[in-house]
Amino acid sequence: MRQASVVLALAFLSACRQSASTPAGPTPPTLPATPAIRVLMLTATAGFRHDSIAAAREVLSALAPANNFSISATEDLNRINAAGLSETDVVMFALTSGELALSAPQRAALIAAINDGKGFIGIHSATDTLYEFPDYGRLVGAYFKEHPWTQVGRVIVEDPSHPAAGVRDAFSLEEEFYTFRDNPRGRVQVLLRLDPASVGAIGDYPLVWAHAFGNGRAYYNALGHFAATWRDQRFQSQLIAAIRWTGSR
Ligand SMILES: [Zn+2]
């Protein structure tokens, strides 16, 4: 990071000097690019299948080039193995569901990859996935319980300074808001939570969280039920921040 800033500063100085002598201005030197974060996006389902999967794939692919990541979207569970995971920086379970047919070696490879320093991102029904795989539960942070509120709700940002937060201010949106079998607070750092008063409830309802997993980083975001959420710039900025944070070591 520091090296990048020095290079940037030198490039700026050099550009200034050159433009002083040549008013038309030469093309600024190209900066060395940081390698793009490779995201393996799994949208396989063994239970409920969200209509928003197509929008999820389309939006992330569209965001990728300008945000220095690449998306390899797949429904092929065979991509989850030691060789496949060695080619990726971040594994994203987006709108997955049910008991995905991953073999014991595939499961071990997934957990080992994150433990060894890769990133994991779970979106929406990623917590409604692999209930019979407790290590996955630890990775994603909690298991889905129910969705009592499908309506407009207000989302509170608990820690806008966290690099994975992606948003600074509270916002309202129409979503299917989840509750979880147990509250992950204490095991994870909660980044965003539901404002219970906005749905006429009381209690603590974390929606987005981040935690270390061995040498890797894991992130979960409960939003994403509707295609409109994926097209919402406030959700997109959270996804970009999550990819950057989980994809850095
Ligand atoms: Zn949903």
Side-chain angles (χ1 to χ4, degrees):
M1 198 59 110
R2 175 164 303 181
Q3 210 170 8
S5 337
V6 170
V7 170
L8 193 62
L10 288 173
F12 176 72
L13 284 173
S14 137
C16 290
R17 273 192 215 113
Q18 285 171 2
S19 60
S21 55
T22 50
T27 311
T30 311
L31 297 173
T34 321
I37 297 172
R38 300 162 299 176
V39 181
L40 178 63
M41 178 188 192
L42 182 73
T43 55
T45 53
F48 185 80
R49 189 165 179 90
H50 281 85
D51 291 341
S52 53
I53 285 176
R57 294 173 72 139
E58 179 194 308
V59 163
L60 276 170
S61 300
L63 290 173
N67 292 285
N68 204 35
F69 64 86
S70 65
I71 288 286
S72 179
T74 187
E75 301 263 320
D76 182 6
L77 293 173
N78 293 321
R79 297 280 300 277
I80 308 289
N81 60 46
L85 295 175
S86 71
E87 313 265 291
T88 196
D89 301 306
V90 175
V91 185
M92 177 187 285
F93 277 41
L95 303 167
T96 53
S97 67
E99 298 308 311
L100 299 173
L102 293 168
S103 68
Q106 285 181 291
R107 290 171 188 228
L110 173 64
I111 297 302
I114 314 304
N115 248 324
D116 291 348
K118 307 262 184 207
F120 175 84
I121 294 177
I123 305 290
H124 194 56
S125 53
T127 47
D128 186 31
T129 301
L130 295 170
Y131 290 92
E132 292 164 18
F133 180 16
D135 280 344
Y136 176 82
R138 284 198 305 115
L139 179 61
V140 76
Y143 282 119
F144 166 80
K145 183 182 175 196
E146 49 195 3
H147 50 81
W149 312 289
T150 301
Q151 62 179 88
V152 174
R154 183 168 173 270
V155 178
I156 295 168
V157 184
E158 289 203 10
D159 184 0
S161 69
H162 192 287
V167 276
R168 303 202 67 79
D169 302 315
F171 59 95
S172 294
L173 84 170
E174 185 181 16
E175 248 301 326
E176 178 191 71
F177 292 104
Y178 276 10
T179 61
F180 302 93
R181 288 182 175 181
D182 64 345
N183 189 333
R185 193 184 290 279
R187 302 193 294 269
V188 298
Q189 180 177 356
V190 176
L191 303 180
L192 276 69
R193 72 171 188 273
L194 179 65
D195 176 356
S198 71
V199 295
I202 52 165
D204 179 31
Y205 302 104
L207 292 175
V208 178
W209 55 75
H211 62 121
F213 190 87
N215 292 321
R217 290 172 167 182
Y219 168 97
Y220 171 74
N221 193 317
L223 308 177
H225 176 79
F226 293 115
T229 303
W230 291 87
R231 300 206 173 95
D232 188 318
Q233 192 272 326
R234 300 163 301 181
F235 184 58
Q236 293 176 1
S237 61
Q238 293 170 57
L239 297 171
I240 294 164
I243 289 169
R244 285 194 186 135
W245 183 73
T246 55
S248 324
R249 303 196 210 176

